[in-house]
């Protein structure tokens, strides 16, 4: 699978995620894919288990992609995941095998206030 095909598959995945289209969202995963959430210490094995873990979440979710970068078998997506109108900033690292995601790690962070100590060094770009 070339980089253009992977990027297209990722765009389809994130669009399906935003639309809560759980079947299409999970087509990108290998049957034996692994999903890690390091901050909670959770690991979910298998495409169907990953899909079920997302379908049972009661939250209203929206995905806003900031950027996707990568090549070959390693791709990173930065996005804002809004759960019930509360944004989380997420980095998804996907490792591909034979054109499908074999391993994904997702890191979540909440927004924080800018530090006054570096105010003279930064550009304010607004809410991301």
């Amino acid at each position: 699978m070339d980089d253009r095909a992977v990027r297209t598959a990722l765009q389809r995945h994130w669009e399906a995620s935003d639309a809560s289209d759980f079947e299409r969202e999970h087509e990108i995963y290998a049957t034996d894919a692994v999903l890690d959430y390091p901050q909670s210490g959770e690991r979910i094995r298998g495409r169907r288990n990953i899909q079920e873990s997302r379908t049972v979440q009661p939250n209203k979710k929206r995905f806003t992609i900031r950027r996707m970068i990568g090549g070959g078998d390693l791709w990173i997506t930065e996005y804002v995941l809004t759960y019930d109108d509360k944004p989380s900033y997420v980095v998804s690292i996907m490792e591909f095998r034979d054109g499908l995601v074999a391993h994904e790690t997702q890191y979540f962070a909440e927004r924080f206030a800018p530090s006054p100590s570096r105010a003279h060094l930064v550009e304010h770009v607004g809410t991301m």
Side-chain angles (χ1 to χ4, degrees):
M1 194 173 208
D2 67 13
D3 288 354
R4 187 181 332 206
V6 172
R7 183 174 292 279
T8 298
L10 283 168
Q11 288 170 331
R12 180 177 162 92
H13 166 75
W14 296 119
E15 288 169 3
S17 297
D18 188 51
S20 295
D21 182 342
F22 297 111
E23 283 301 318
R24 191 166 48 111
E25 176 183 13
H26 293 86
E27 291 173 351
I28 199 169
Y29 294 97
T31 303
D32 61 346
V34 173
L35 172 61
D36 284 325
Y37 296 114
Q39 290 156 293
S40 65
E42 296 171 289
R43 172 172 281 170
I44 302 171
R45 291 185 186 275
R47 178 177 55 217
R48 289 294 164 208
N49 290 336
I50 294 168
Q51 181 177 352
E52 184 178 344
S53 75
R54 292 175 176 158
T55 60
V56 297
Q57 292 175 338
N59 311 76
K60 177 185 170 194
K61 298 177 283 191
R62 295 306 312 254
F63 293 75
T64 304
I65 304 306
R66 297 191 59 219
R67 70 178 175 155
M68 292 186 302
I69 57 174
D73 292 334
L74 184 62
W75 287 80
I76 299 166
T77 305
E78 292 180 47
Y79 61 98
V80 178
L81 174 55
T82 305
Y83 279 114
D84 296 331
D85 301 319
K86 182 180 178 193
S88 291
Y89 300 84
V90 184
V91 174
S92 167
I93 302 169
M94 291 181 167
E95 300 170 55
F96 284 77
R97 180 185 69 231
D98 300 325
L100 295 171
V101 175
H103 186 242
E104 180 180 17
T105 303
Q106 291 186 347
Y107 295 94
F108 291 77
E110 292 186 14
R111 185 171 173 77
F112 58 87
S115 172
S117 66
R118 62 179 176 257
H120 65 288
L121 302 171
V122 301
E123 296 176 31
H124 291 280
V125 294
T127 304
M128 297 181 162

